[in-house]
Amino acid sequence: MSTTTIDRLRDTELSYRATLAGGALSVFLLIALLGLAFPSSIWGNFLAILTSRSTLSSALRLSVPITFAALGGIFSEKAGVVNIGLEGLLIISAFTAVITTAVVGPEMTVVGLPAIWIGFFAGILSSVLFSALFAVVCIRFKADQIIAGLAVWLIALGLAPFAATVYYGGVNTDNLGTTLGTWTIPVLSDIPFFGAFFDADPAVYMMLVAVPASWYVLNRTAFGRHVRASGENPKALDTVGVDVSRVRYAGVLLSGFLAGVGGSALSLGLGQFVGNNQTMVNGKGFIAIVAYLFGNYNPIGAFGASFLFAGLEAAQIRLQQVPGYAIPDSLIQTIPYVTVLVVLALVGRTRIPEAAGEHYDTGDDNR
Amino acid sequence: MSAAENAKAVLRRLTAASATERILISFAALIMAVLVGAVIILVSGRITTCQTAATTLFGTGFCYDPVEVYLVLFNGALGEPFLVNSPGILKPLNPNWNPLNFGFALTLKETTLLIFTGLSVAVSFRAGLFNIGTQGQLILGGLATALFSFFVAPLLPSGLVGGLILIPLAIVVGALVGGLYGAIPGALKAYADANEVITTIMLNFIAAQIAFVLVSEFYGNPDSQVVETTPIPDWATLLPVAFPQGGDFSILALAFGLALVVAVWFLLEQTSFGYDLRTSGEQPEAAEYGGVDAKRTTVTSMFLSGALGGMGGAIWVLMVMGKWQAGVPALGFDGITVSILAGNNPFGVVPAALLFGTLKSGSLAVQFGTGVPKQLVGVLRGLIILFVAMPEFFRMLGSTIDLEPDRETVATDGGRLGGDDE
Amino acid sequence: MSTAVHLDEITKRFSGVVANDDVDLTVERGTVHALLGENGAGKTTLMNILYGLYEPTEGTVHVDGEPRDFDSPADAIDAGIGMIHQHFMLVDPMTVAENIVLGNEPRKWFGTTVDRERARQEVIDLSNRYGFDVNPDDAIEDVSVGVQQRVEILKALYRGADILILDEPTAVLTPQEVEELFRVFEELTAQGKTIIFISHKLGEAMHAADDITVLRNGKNVGTVKADETSNEELAELMVGREVLLEPKAEPQEPGDEVLAVQHLSAEDNRGIPAVSDVSFDIREGEVFGIAGVDGNGQSQLVEAITGLRTPTEGSISYKGGDITDASRRSRIADGMAYIPEDRHERGLVMDFDLVQNGILGSQHSPTFAADGRINWSDARDHAERIIDEYDVRPPHADADAESFSGGNQQKFIVGREFEREPDLVVATHPTRGVDIGAMEFIHERLLDLRAEGKAVLLISSKLDEVQGLSDRLGVMHDGELMDIVDPRNTTEEEIGLLMAGERPNAAETDAEPPVGDAK
Amino acid sequence: MDRRSFVKAAGVAGIAGLAGCTGGPSEGSQETTATTTEESGGEETTTAEQTTEESGPAANVGMVYALGGLGDKSFNDAAKRGIEQAESELGIAYDEAQPSAAEEFPQFQRRFAQSSNPDYDLVSCIGYAQKSALSETAPSFSDQKFMIVDDVVDEDNVASYLFREEQGSFQVGYLAGLITTQEFSAGSGSTTADSKSVGFVGGTETELIRKFQAGYEAGVAHADEEISVDVAYVGSFSDSAKGKEIATSMYDNGADVVYHAAGGSGLGVFQAAKEQGKFAIGVDSDQSQTEPNYADVILASMVKRVESAVYTSVENVVNDEFNGGSTTTLGLEEDGVAAVYGAELGSEIPQDVKDSLSESREAIIAGDIEIPTTTE
């Protein structure tokens, strides 16, 4: 194939990232410029909000559940199983984490582990169990992945408030009175602005580790390559003697694990599970799907997208408090969604793994 | 086609879901969900505490009795057809049962609304478009209906004549707005190749916020602290006729919904447009080959789907609320489950909507009558969908019971298995 | 010489359908063994059994004299067997090296991490050893089909394969690439490897193999030495009767121009130029053939003509009017029939029954849908007529398209398109996957259409087919129409050179490998 | 007897039950049959069962809570306290319903109104969101007594209860204003004199919550015109995560005290206060008691005695003094609203601050201070 075609392919890839990164940067620069030129105007407020350490730390905190769910979604979908049930995994782990901590007793420690961390791991376990159910249904029983994913969401959406009502008499759990807390790294946390990275929830640190680690696993380990091959061309993997089902199970379970971390962190960061309406997860699982599609299945891109949404939310919360600012809160809340729409309309498609959503079987019926 | 794929095709031929099988699978899914639900009820009956056991199994007392729960659910949804208090599992019929009761009206109300949203989702699914956006289309369609009725009502004579003019117009307005809002992701899909799953999810959020702002800032009811529009005069709404106890159910709306079922079926199965739509949904490449304008069909189907969703919103406003109010129930999402259970078949939507309508209206009675949280029904709904998604599971169950007959003669090509491996 | 593979009385049934019936096969070490047979003779199934993808219903596999029971390809790989499938089992976005080591990645750092440097070096060493020319860092989706095939062979060798199975290895190659492949065969056998390749082409089996085993209807009908047999003997073994190998078109005076393509250029789905500056015309009563290796722009050219792709440049006129921008629908309405190359994707809606498939393309025509409402009873009559006339088996109009075999699906499509009473038939690979009888029937019907004064555009990768049926033959290479020749006065070799991108009158040869459309 | 009051899923009992792995019935199961036969599903009934009501409770009350449900530790839980008090003191029985969507209000109201087993003597509708539903339900069941909290339904069979939230909010605003202008440290929180900033977090931006905001702002200004008030709305009464984010940003912004009128979302405000070492003011209930984990940051609570409204209305029904058609407005004077100091921090609040608050309370009751009821 001629070199020009290769260049062109690379160009499309590059232009996608360049559009995103360049767009974000130029918007920021525009605001900075306007903010510096008219410090007392709304742009000045904008700039102050965007450069405030509290916005950064808030954005990091808010991006935790989205990022973890998105990382989970990447592993599952890269392995060929579209996991639309991420929302359900977040819900079930958020609930289990809190109820387990409550049952153990928030003040208790078991073999040196504080109850809240037992809850944290229990939340992860519940999400892994749910994803195992999902995996069996999709892989063993060849269910339609989208429908099965919706089912996982619906079951979790019903089960968590149901169990909360059975146990507490209402859809919300009681407040544990304790949270995961904050880990502060001395000295580093004193750095202006970026100090927010070193004075954060434990889950934020986990996220900052999980993102590069996921990238590494996906791109530098044999397992990661098998995952990618299983989603692109499972037959290629099968014919070299790697068990496609096993890789897919692993991918889905891993997605359950990661989403579980996000869900546990979400509820334990607050010390309570809120089960009203769409529960406290409130669409974060779906936003996570958008985030990884947006990030083109790259863990770092997915984190970038999650961080963008969380950042917009954090900025929105602060913008709301600017006095005399007339735009209704609800309209500002639509900004992240509108952004996604506009970018999708401009940049268009993302490349979905070739075999995602398809069942794989060797075609032999008497095996 | 490789031999492996060919073998798969043979397999599929043997197990392809016929209409009968679909119905069987739906029933089996329902039964499985009910059984799993019963286990959940028992388990939660051990977690909660009570002074006296509701039932005793295997020497263990449980606070909730699954049989009672399902009976109460059914009774609540239909308005006490059975005498629950009598002993034994089979309860005698209630001689005083009147089908035109409040509970049944609630069930039919839910059913009616779910028919609209179920149809909306079914149309888009048949066109191969995963429209998650019925909720947003419903919200905006309903709002348009409420505002239109409110502003136009003063210009018309009040009473039956005005209603006859206004109600159809208001529904059309709702359909139009819902349709246009549905056409947005359609156009984004057709012309910008944007994934409709993402865009419709985003548009749902946006619709809810826009509607909220419009009502809270501009068109709110000044007499109310709730974010809602000023109520439409009664003559311009769909009032209950046959059900004296109320329940916000209008038989007219149900009749309209059933008529739409037939209309949608006719459109899908009997017309050229329906053929285009279904072909696009089954196999876009083949549709293009067959002269279907894929982009236009995508936009049109999404418009149609959105219009049905918008009508759902209109009916919600005209039949249930008499106004638009923030916190619109998740009828659009329920429509997805209805459509899935119905196998995206317009006629299937009716029983599926009735089932979910029964569950939903019965859920209130369950919480009321037995103390089991009404979210149980949400779990049941998820379980039904889960089991519907895995026909393989039931085929496997079935094949262990029913030995397959000898299929030596199934080959269609003189026993020649070859595909086109050239 | 020792025996590398011995298959002993292999029988394989799929849900009752017999794919292999009591097959014996012996392959000697260090030889090239061709497995010859018609489509659907059971060749691929047999090889999938040897490779552990399928378990035989009855019979035993022996490798190096030992009976083996393969549960999966992994077992076969362990026994030194490698298989190169007809559709390459490669992961498109990954690089050549990543694909070759897939599943056997060299590790470092306590097995946590793929040692990419070592993987790369091993691939380079391996390809040098067998004289392969591949760049380990290219992504698979960026390299030509020939290179992809070499990657597949390297993949097997990397796993220590001594026995290589190739399924239809020449189907997607130019004649020159085929020669190169056979040279690789020699190199491999010289180093002690054993090669089994599947083919349905007599010529290449005769040319490249030491031994030839012919399968028919799942049975072994004979193994012969290549240098002790003849084309005629093999053909008879394959088909079971004497066949007319080449269709013949009697010369006939063409009429008015039906289709004229002028300076047409088009891109493929990824926006890469696929057709450049192609011009030709077709007249009434004429078959215009296009020969060329698959993926040299034929698909895009046909799509532009039939209205499935917007050309970037140039014009198309049809029956005297410009249709460059006309919709697909209007072209169908205007009497343009089209047998698409991929019947599963385009030609049929697999989940529709034949009644519904019978009106695909006619769903808006007054014949079946006068007022927007489809007349299903007419549609049913129509489908039953096609089933009857084109011998579609079983004759069930209510069965879903996917329940029919490939050959019968094709017959149905051909029937549907011919029954449109078209002015122009665009036929791409019309006989792909059909049996000999149906092939003859389709060829006859094409010639009948020609005799009726219709215009036919015939695209096929079977050179004998286009050569035998066409009045004029265009040869495509890398998106260009290299030349238009008289098929009756041109040799297969001359056409082969054109297909490879070499103009006979051009002095220097084009060193660039042909552009494959990657798919 | 009431049908299922034995199904009590109270948190403490539940935890004890599960921790010991022995939930379920606490008595022997021999009585099972007897009990189940008395559980009627709903409306229709047979004469045999009605006889059991002879020795029944003083009254039957149906509770329809506001969205957000029980466990919000403020509004709904306050109503629940009222009915529990009535249960133990007046010997009434009650059933409760927690709607999860606005459209369920009329359904629950109707179910209670229609029921004849038991025949509910009063249906309590908690929250303004039930107004429009009740406006339709009440006329259709003219024999049924209703009460509504936080809005007025002008029907003869509805007793309406309103609160002067702006008065109580003024008081806590005044308190916040006084605290932020001085050096103060107590419990886990502290303020300095140099920053003069406080915050207000609302649930949804409605007329009622604006009333809280207006009173609060007026109270703050009463302390010092210079003090800035950050205002933000969560958009929900049950999103404590967002409540926490908002309050955190306010504290980051320099606010010393944040007052919330955001129901369940307010929990996040307390958490933020605790993490940031600042103060918060609770609402509806004395939240230093309902949320003891945060008693060390809760300066005070603007209590709105929903419980007394509920209790009073039940009492009226029991005593045959149902005040249908009338509206009872409860302000500082009636002790319907009040600023209540935190259980843990109250003792540390300087006496001069307390004195100022007592003075302003008197002035408000006397009508000397005009408090706006809306922010515009």
Side-chain angles (χ1 to χ4, degrees), chain D residues 134-289:
Chain D
L134 189 56
S135 310
E136 285 182 19
T137 311
S140 339
F141 298 90
S142 48
D143 294 341
Q144 175 71 51
K145 302 186 184 79
F146 294 93
M147 69 86 78
I148 184 167
V149 174
D150 270 1
D151 213 328
V152 177
V153 172
D154 200 7
E155 297 287 342
D156 283 346
N157 55 339
V158 180
S160 306
Y161 290 84
L162 289 180
F163 293 89
R164 297 197 192 281
E165 290 89 357
E166 73 281 6
Q167 294 186 342
S169 299
F170 179 95
Q171 286 290 85
V172 293
Y174 189 33
L175 170 67
L178 292 173
I179 292 291
T180 189
T181 48
Q182 54 181 272
E183 196 100 6
F184 178 70
S185 173
S188 302
S190 64
T191 72
T192 52
D194 49 331
S195 85
K196 291 205 265 186
S197 173
V198 296
F200 173 81
V201 177
T204 53
E205 205 165 349
T206 56
E207 201 183 314
L208 177 72
I209 305 300
R210 284 204 188 109
K211 218 156 115 188
F212 284 84
Q213 184 194 337
Y216 182 70
E217 285 177 337
V220 173
H222 189 64
D224 184 344
E225 294 281 348
E226 301 278 286
I227 303 171
S228 68
V229 185
D230 288 344
V231 175
Y233 283 84
V234 181
S236 155
F237 286 104
S238 55
D239 189 347
S240 45
K242 195 166 172 202
K244 183 176 175 184
E245 286 299 333
I246 290 176
T248 304
S249 73
M250 288 177 172
Y251 290 124
D252 280 342
N253 217 13
D256 294 316
V257 185
V258 174
Y259 169 46
H260 86 87
S265 304
L267 179 67
V269 175
F270 300 144
Q271 290 191 326
K274 191 160 185 166
E275 285 178 12
Q276 304 287 324
K278 300 284 177 61
F279 296 108
I281 296 175
V283 80
D284 294 345
S285 304
D286 178 357
Q287 295 199 283
S288 65
Q289 297 195 24

Side-chain angles (χ1 to χ4, degrees), chain B residues 23 119 261 338-339 341-355:
Chain B
I23 294 169
L119 280 179
V261 167
V338 167
S339 181
L341 184 61
N344 304 329
N345 179 322
F347 288 128
V349 162
V350 178
L354 184 62
L355 172 69

Side-chain angles (χ1 to χ4, degrees), chain B residues 91-115:
Chain B
K91 312 289 178 184
L93 287 174
N94 179 354
N96 300 327
W97 182 62
N98 172 8
L100 302 181
N101 61 63
F102 178 67
F104 193 44
L106 279 186
T107 303
L108 289 177
K109 176 198 92 173
E110 292 295 338
T111 305
T112 306
L113 293 169
L114 290 178
I115 284 175

Side-chain angles (χ1 to χ4, degrees), chain B residues 1-7 9-14 16 266 269-273 275-276 278-279 282-292 296 407-422, chain C residues 14-19 39-40 44-45 54 86 168 200 308 328-329 332 338 340 343-346 348-352 356 359-361 363-364 369 372-374 376 393-394 402-403 405 408 416-417 432-433 461-462:
Chain B
M1 193 163 72
S2 73
E5 282 169 282
N6 206 306
V10 173
L11 262 181
R12 235 181 314 172
R13 199 185 313 161
L14 288 175
F266 183 84
E269 304 294 337
Q270 300 290 321
T271 67
S272 306
F273 170 74
Y275 185 92
D276 285 359
R278 287 185 295 124
T279 315
E282 289 282 348
Q283 234 171 282
E285 294 85 1
E288 219 188 328
Y289 163 82
V292 177
R296 218 176 52 195
R407 300 277 191 162
E408 197 76 39
T409 53
V410 81
T412 52
D413 203 23
R416 217 174 56 85
L417 189 85
D420 54 339
D421 42 346
E422 207 169 324
Chain C
F14 289 106
S15 308
V17 180
V18 181
N39 298 309
T44 304
T45 307
Y54 299 161
Q86 186 182 5
E168 302 270 0
H200 63 225
L308 291 170
R328 167 92 186 116
R329 184 166 148 187
I332 297 173
Y338 171 29
R343 56 176 163 261
H344 303 112
E345 294 260 311
R346 289 223 151 118
L348 294 169
V349 182
M350 301 312 279
D351 282 341
F352 281 6
Q356 301 206 52
I359 61 162
L360 183 62
Q363 69 268 31
H364 293 281
R373 183 181 175 178
I374 293 172
W376 285 115
R393 279 181 288 167
E402 77 175 348
S403 67
S405 72
N408 283 303
R416 180 185 69 204
E417 295 307 309
R432 186 176 269 181
S461 52
K462 294 178 190 166

Side-chain angles (χ1 to χ4, degrees), chain B residues 7-29:
Chain B
K8 208 162 74 187
V10 173
L11 262 181
R12 235 181 314 172
R13 199 185 313 161
L14 288 175
T15 52
S18 63
T20 337
E21 203 198 25
R22 271 217 74 89
I23 294 169
L24 282 177
I25 286 173
S26 297
F27 269 107

Side-chain angles (χ1 to χ4, degrees), chain A residues 54 58 61 103 166-169 172 174-175 177 179 269-270 272 274 276-277 313 317-318 320-321 329 333, chain D residues 9 14-15 18 68 73 98 100 231-233 238 240-242 244-246 249-250 252 267 271 291 293-294:
Chain A
S54 115
S58 172
R61 217 165 29 235
V103 168
V166 167
Y167 196 77
Y168 288 103
N172 309 331
D174 282 350
N175 179 26
T179 62
L270 193 69
Q272 188 192 22
V274 183
N276 276 306
N277 303 320
E313 167 103 28
I317 283 173
R318 284 158 181 81
Q320 217 198 110
Q321 297 165 38
D329 179 26
Q333 283 172 20
Chain D
I15 289 168
L18 196 72
K73 305 292 178 202
Q98 300 183 52
S100 50
V231 175
Y233 283 84
S238 55
S240 45
K242 195 166 172 202
K244 183 176 175 184
E245 286 299 333
I246 290 176
S249 73
M250 288 177 172
D252 280 342
L267 179 67
Q271 290 191 326
E291 294 284 3
N293 291 318
Y294 300 101

